[in-house]
């Protein structure tokens, strides 16, 4: 059963070595992520699953010890999902950021796995995957990586879309109140149009959280670079 979850954004710029001189711009988000991960560690799970958006080829399960690199962002830095034999496939960027966050947290020795999710995965399938994960151990914790809309300003990656602010407001409220139904109600077509890569991972979380009665806290909400970033803790 799901006993705790942390929701974090997944831009590689969250890693100071990647952000370089701009590292201070996401300092508050980084601190909030640390606070959310502390909630996960305190829950003492039997199993931790890191979930994030993934491109074709990096989707599906990534075993403990799977490695990811930030070489594509100009930094000679490799991270791993806990300890284990790993696998042949590299972690997608979202899970690599999650692995970096876990490396900088006083984390308990629970088995860690990753799940790369396609951004087009439909809500019903996301919820089904979440239910399967939630039922996989007595005490399950999730680290859910994902960004909101990328259309909050004219300088955003997706330019300005007047629907973006309302979409992100609904996401922030759902995450802050631990509302699975509200997350599952997010429109996948609208999310795709707004380049909100977190929609599918959040809906996997929603499936895992159904019937658990977890309470949520929104620890951070902002749109630096015109992209919606959220940090939340459910316990």
């Amino acid at each position: 059963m799901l006993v705790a979850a942390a929701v974090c954004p997944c831009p590689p710029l969250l890693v100071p070595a990647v952000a370089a001189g701009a590292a201070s711009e996401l300092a508050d988000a980084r601190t909030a992520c640390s606070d959310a991960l502390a909630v996960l560690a305190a829950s003492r799970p039997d199993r931790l699953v890191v979930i994030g958006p993934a491109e074709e080829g990096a989707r599906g399960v990534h075993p403990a010890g799977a490695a990811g690199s930030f070489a594509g962002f100009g930094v000679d830095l490799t991270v791993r999902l806990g300890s284990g034999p790993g696998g042949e496939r590299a972690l997608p960027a979202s899970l690599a950021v999650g692995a970096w966050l876990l490396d900088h947290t006083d984390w308990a020795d629970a088995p860690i796995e990753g799940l790369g999710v396609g951004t087009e995965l439909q809500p019903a399938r996301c919820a089904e995957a979440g239910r399967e994960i939630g039922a996989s151990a007595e005490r399950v914790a999730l680290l859910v990586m994902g960004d909101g809309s990328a259309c909050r300003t004219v300088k955003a990656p997706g330019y300005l879309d007047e629907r973006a602010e309302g979409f992100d407001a609904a996401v922030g409220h759902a995450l802050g109140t631990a509302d699975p139904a509200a997350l599952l109600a997010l429109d996948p077509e609208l999310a795709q149009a707004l380049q909100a890569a977190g929609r599918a991972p959040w809906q996997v979380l929603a499936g895992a959280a159904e019937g658990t009665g977890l309470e949520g806290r929104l620890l951070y909400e902002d749109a630096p670079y015109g992209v919606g970033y959220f940090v939340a803790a459910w316990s």
Side-chain angles (χ1 to χ4, degrees):
M1 183 177 77
L2 185 69
V3 296
V7 176
C8 296
C10 59
L13 288 175
L14 204 59
V15 178
V18 175
S24 62
E25 295 177 7
L26 289 179
D28 289 345
R30 211 173 289 117
T31 297
C33 289
S34 294
D35 292 342
L37 287 174
V39 173
L40 287 190
S43 72
R44 298 187 178 278
D46 302 317
R47 184 187 186 205
L48 169 65
V49 182
V50 185
I51 303 170
E55 299 295 331
E56 193 75 42
R59 297 173 185 175
V61 175
H62 293 265
S69 171
F70 292 98
F73 302 96
V75 176
D76 183 16
L77 174 62
T78 297
V79 293
R80 291 185 178 276
L81 269 183
S83 59
E88 297 181 358
R89 295 184 306 153
L91 294 173
S94 64
L95 299 192
V97 174
W100 182 87
L101 289 172
L102 289 171
D103 281 347
H104 292 76
T105 302
D106 184 13
W107 184 250
D109 275 338
I112 301 174
E113 297 175 38
L115 177 64
V117 181
T119 56
E120 75 283 357
L121 195 66
Q122 291 301 299
R125 183 66 189 94
C126 292
E128 181 183 351
R131 294 184 194 107
E132 292 173 357
I133 294 171
S136 66
E138 186 174 344
R139 299 183 64 81
V140 176
L142 300 182
L143 172 54
V144 184
M145 310 298 296
D147 300 337
S149 69
C151 303
R152 292 282 292 273
T153 68
V154 294
K155 294 184 178 181
Y159 196 66
L160 176 65
D161 190 311
E162 63 183 11
R163 300 170 294 177
E165 187 170 351
F167 178 89
D168 283 350
V171 170
H173 186 265
L175 293 175
T177 57
D179 188 340
L183 289 177
L184 288 173
L186 294 174
D187 182 351
E189 292 185 3
L190 177 59
Q192 197 82 5
L194 297 176
Q195 301 180 26
R199 190 274 308 169
W202 297 330
Q203 291 183 330
V204 175
L205 165 62
E210 287 178 347
T212 62
L214 296 182
E215 296 183 355
R217 287 184 296 144
L218 191 62
L219 306 179
Y220 176 90
E221 181 180 10
D222 203 356
Y225 319 120
V227 181
Y229 294 155
F230 309 92
V231 180
W234 292 17
S235 61

